[in-house]
Amino acid sequence: MRIPAHSVCTAIRDDIVAGVFERGSRLTEEVLARRYGVSRVPVREAMRTLEAEGFVSTRRHAGACVAEPTAQEAADLLEVRLLLEPLGAARAAQRRTEAHLKVLRGLVRLGQERARAGHSDDLRSLDGWFHETLAQASGSAGLTALLTQLRQKIAWMYAVEPAAKPVESWAEHGAIVDAVARGDAERARTLTAQHTERSTSAHRLRFPGDGGRAGRVVAVRTSQHSVNMASGRN
């Protein structure tokens, strides 16, 4: 069975974000193909995509390696997020469907319940689902893709401390959904900008730089998932 390149790309990207592959480490087609149980063809295609996204870089005499963004490049991601998240919320207020609102309200209700109960472990994934759904509600495939890629790169470069006041944080989520439901694009934009700016202070760079370069992280050796559990070749 042929494994599509986008599945291989997702697997490699997820492993880079999780620290399975250290920053600056070489990524050879042969090793990656064996790891994910595919041929070199989808790996080669995936590597081109990952290089365009900034997760992989090609070095002279070394070939493809995991990229090593500088601390400034990491900071730039948070600044771009401050621009795009509010734009997505404003678009969502204009284009959301009832299905989007149902999911967003459900996530807010669940987030508020978990926050009041002190279940902080659940809140990070719920927050991710909330912002992913809000982006999808924008009705712009291009903007949704940009926000998804941005969140992936931020997760790779930053550790995020739990919200100091999670109940208040989820109240902010609820206010954003109320504005989106009313079709108030400017209020949705303003509330999301404020929420995003407040959350920025909780981000801690995973790789404090030496000379502007990011340091090493201890690699996680267990892959997050397999592309081809049967390890068959395509």
Side-chain angles (χ1 to χ4, degrees), residues 119-197:
H119 295 164
S120 58
D121 290 345
D122 297 337
L123 295 180
R124 182 169 298 179
S125 58
L126 288 173
D127 182 77
W129 292 337
F130 175 87
H131 287 285
E132 182 178 344
T133 304
L134 187 63
Q136 292 171 352
S138 72
S140 170
L143 180 57
T144 301
L146 282 173
L147 284 167
T148 297
Q149 185 183 134
L150 190 61
R151 282 191 293 270
Q152 289 168 337
K153 294 185 79 172
I154 288 173
W156 174 36
M157 297 182 197
Y158 288 93
V160 182
E161 297 177 350
K165 299 179 179 179
V167 173
E168 292 183 10
S169 178
W170 278 93
E172 292 173 4
H173 284 90
I176 292 169
V177 174
D178 288 343
V180 168
R182 292 196 303 271
D184 191 337
E186 285 311 307
R187 181 159 178 75
R189 184 195 301 270
T190 298
L191 290 173
T192 302
Q194 293 171 347
H195 175 75
T196 303
E197 187 169 6

Side-chain angles (χ1 to χ4, degrees), residues 5-22:
H6 68 80
S7 295
V8 180
C9 184
T10 297
I12 298 173
R13 186 193 298 110
D14 287 351
D15 280 346
I16 289 174
V17 171
V20 174
F21 301 119
E22 293 185 359

Side-chain angles (χ1 to χ4, degrees), residues 18-36:
V20 174
F21 301 119
E22 293 185 359
R23 296 160 56 85
S25 61
R26 289 192 63 195
L27 297 170
T28 65
E29 291 180 7
E30 181 181 0
V31 171
L32 292 174
R34 186 165 59 248
R35 178 182 181 84
Y36 300 111

